[in-house]
Amino acid sequence: QESRFRPNAQSWAGARGLMQVMPATARQFGIAGLYDPTNSMDAGTAYLEYLQEYWQSIPDSTERIKFILASYNAGPGHVEDARRLADKFGKNPYLWDKNVAEYLLLKSKPLYYNDPVVYYGYCRGSEPYNYVKDIMKRYEHYSRFIEEGVVPEQLAVR
C-alpha cells in the first residue's frame, strides 16, 4: 500500500521497505536490512502471521482481517485501546465498521486518547482507518476478477 512497490521507501514514522515494517518489529523476528525486498517480505509476512495469532479472539474471519490490517498499520496496542473505548461507550469490540474503527478515529482527540481505558495514547486514527478501508476495497476489486474467471494474462489486455 504505502511503499508503492519501492524497496527503498520510508514512512514518516520510520517504517521501511516494500512491506513498510518498523525496524523494531523486524528485529523481533530476527530480520534486518528492510530495504532488501526479500527481508522486507519476510518481516512483513512474519508480522502478519503474528497478528493472525494475536487476533484469534475475533471470531469472524472477515472482521479479524480488519483488526489485523489496522494493527499492521498502527500497532495492536492502538487497536486494543480502540476496542476498550468501543466497549466503554456501548459498541461491539468484536466488530470493526461503525464500532472499533470509529474509536480508532477518535484516538486523535484528547478526550479519547486521555481516557483511562487508553494505554497507548494518541494515534493518527485516520491512517489505519483509511488503510483498512483501502485494502478491503482493493481486495473486493481483485476478487471480482477471480469470480469472473479472469486469468492474469487477460488483465493486461483490459
Side-chain angles (χ1 to χ4, degrees), residues 50-114:
Y50 165 81
L51 292 171
Q52 172 70 20
E53 186 63 32
Y54 185 94
W55 289 111
Q56 282 302 309
S57 65
I58 306 297
D60 182 86
S61 62
T62 302
E63 291 299 315
R64 187 179 321 120
I65 288 169
K66 295 172 185 177
F67 283 82
I68 291 167
L69 291 170
S71 297
Y72 190 91
N73 185 267
H78 287 299
V79 178
E80 290 282 14
D81 282 347
R83 288 186 76 207
R84 285 189 292 275
L85 284 166
D87 190 47
K88 177 179 179 174
F89 291 102
K91 296 288 187 165
N92 188 332
Y94 294 92
L95 295 178
W96 182 254
D97 295 314
K98 297 181 182 165
N99 288 272
V100 175
E102 300 304 318
Y103 286 93
L104 191 55
L105 275 171
L106 290 170
K107 279 196 65 187
S108 65
K109 298 181 184 292
L111 177 67
Y112 294 93
Y113 69 73
N114 288 320

Side-chain angles (χ1 to χ4, degrees), residues 25-37:
T25 302
R27 280 193 298 275
Q28 289 178 326
F29 301 107
I31 299 167
L34 291 171
Y35 293 123
D36 177 281

